[in-house]
């Protein structure tokens, strides 16, 4: 092995060491509650957009192995999220997804719709969770012990994994809607209120996937 190869190997090993240290720091809550048994992370995507569903992810990760580069979905590129989505789906003990659409959001409000999506995600799990680590919220009407963690998607590997599942699931849905309603550029804005999205809304009016309670400022 020449010097260049040795240097490359050293840098790779250093990078891996740092990543393992970062992941270790994100397992603080998982270690604290390890005695509970099956630990499930929960997070959502899509509380703020003007269009599309709110999506919740619930993930139970294996305790004896780490998935490299799992992080808060907002800190990852789209390509990295897609790769990690596949790895989480392949290696997690259980994954659940809950999707609540715009009509229901308008009917019961976004917070209650988010709780509903989270309950759906937990109900989908093939492994019964013993404890839930939630990103900042306590979910009503669930008979499982819950630990709300502020900014949990950046502090807990289980919540981070759930954030990736929720975000990728929702982004894929919005890209599909973008093909049906190309004027609104859903593939790029994911339903959020960008300038071009609001202009399209004013020009063409709302689509069936717009949240009527969210767009009252822009259309009558």
């Amino acid at each position: 092995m020449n010097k260049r190869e040795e240097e490359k190997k050293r840098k790779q090993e250093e990078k891996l060491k740092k990543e393992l240290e970062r992941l270790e720091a994100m397992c603080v809550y998982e270690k604290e509650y390890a005695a509970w048994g099956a630990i499930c992370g929960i997070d959502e995507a899509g509380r703020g957009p003007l269009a599309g569903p709110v999506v919740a992810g619930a993930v139970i990760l294996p305790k004896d192995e780490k998935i490299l580069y799992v992080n808060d979905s907002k800190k990852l590129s789209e390509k990295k999220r897609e790769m990690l989505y596949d790895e989480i789906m392949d290696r997690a003990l259980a994954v659940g997804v809950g999707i609540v659409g715009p009509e229901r959001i308008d009917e019961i409000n976004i917070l209650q719709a988010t709780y509903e999506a989270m309950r759906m995600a937990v109900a989908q799990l093939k492994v019964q969770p013993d404890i839930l680590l939630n990103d900042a919220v306590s979910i009503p009407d669930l008979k499982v012990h819950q630990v709300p963690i502020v900014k949990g998607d950046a502090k807990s590997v289980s919540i981070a994994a759930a954030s990736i599942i929720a975000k990728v699931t929702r982004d894929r849905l919005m890209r599909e809607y973008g093909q049906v309603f190309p004027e609104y550029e859903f593939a790029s804005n994911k339903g959020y209120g960008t300038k071009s999205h609001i202009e399209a809304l004013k020009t063409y009016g709302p689509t069936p996937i717009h949240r009527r309670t969210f767009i009252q400022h822009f259309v009558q």
Side-chain angles (χ1 to χ4, degrees):
M1 188 182 293
N2 61 38
K3 283 190 175 181
R4 183 179 290 180
E5 288 172 336
E6 285 177 3
E7 180 65 12
K8 184 180 179 183
K9 185 182 178 186
R10 187 191 66 77
K11 285 183 177 179
Q12 286 174 339
E13 287 173 350
E14 184 65 25
K15 184 181 177 184
L16 177 59
K17 183 185 173 198
K18 284 184 178 178
E19 174 57 18
L20 289 170
E21 287 172 354
R22 186 193 67 81
L23 278 176
E24 192 69 18
M26 286 187 74
C27 291
V28 171
Y29 291 96
E30 283 75 10
K31 287 180 178 177
E32 183 178 345
Y33 296 100
W36 281 78
I39 298 170
C40 176
I42 298 183
D43 200 7
E44 52 70 34
R47 282 179 70 166
L50 306 180
V54 62
V55 177
V59 177
I60 301 176
L61 293 173
K63 292 186 178 184
D64 54 349
E65 57 180 293
K66 289 182 170 67
I67 301 176
L68 294 178
Y69 308 111
V70 166
N71 204 345
D72 172 5
S73 64
K74 295 184 289 296
K75 296 180 179 179
L76 300 167
S77 67
E78 185 171 329
K79 183 180 178 182
K80 198 77 169 176
R81 283 196 299 266
E82 289 280 349
M83 289 170 61
L84 283 165
Y85 174 95
D86 291 338
E87 194 165 357
I88 293 164
M89 293 298 285
D90 185 48
R91 293 171 60 188
L93 298 179
V95 175
V97 174
I99 301 173
V100 174
E103 285 187 13
R104 185 67 173 157
I105 292 169
D106 287 337
E107 182 184 343
I108 61 175
N109 80 43
I110 186 60
L111 180 60
Q112 296 306 317
T114 301
Y115 290 151
E116 193 166 281
M118 289 176 166
R119 287 191 292 268
M120 290 166 66
V122 172
Q124 266 200 7
L125 293 167
K126 292 180 180 176
V127 175
Q128 179 68 34
D130 297 301
I131 187 168
L132 307 179
L133 304 183
N134 306 342
D135 188 26
V137 300
S138 293
I139 308 162
D141 305 320
L142 272 183
K143 295 178 181 178
V144 186
H145 186 76
Q146 301 181 50
V147 180
I149 302 167
V150 176
K151 295 186 178 176
D153 47 8
K155 297 175 182 176
S156 157
V157 69
S158 301
I159 298 175
S163 80
I164 291 166
I165 295 298
K167 173 73 173 158
V168 171
T169 299
R170 189 178 187 281
D171 284 359
R172 289 177 178 179
L173 285 170
M174 294 310 295
R175 284 197 291 271
E176 289 177 15
Y177 286 130
Q179 294 178 343
V180 181
F181 308 107
E183 299 87 357
Y184 300 85
E185 300 177 10
F186 290 141
S188 59
N189 63 45
K190 306 302 188 290
Y192 284 88
T194 61
K195 185 179 178 182
S196 61
H197 180 185
I198 291 167
E199 285 174 358
L201 192 54
K202 290 177 177 177
T203 302
Y204 304 106
T207 69
I209 70 158
H210 276 100
R211 305 171 182 180
R212 304 293 165 141
T213 50
F214 279 51
I215 61 172
Q216 293 166 343
H217 295 302
F218 312 115
V219 293
Q220 297 302 315

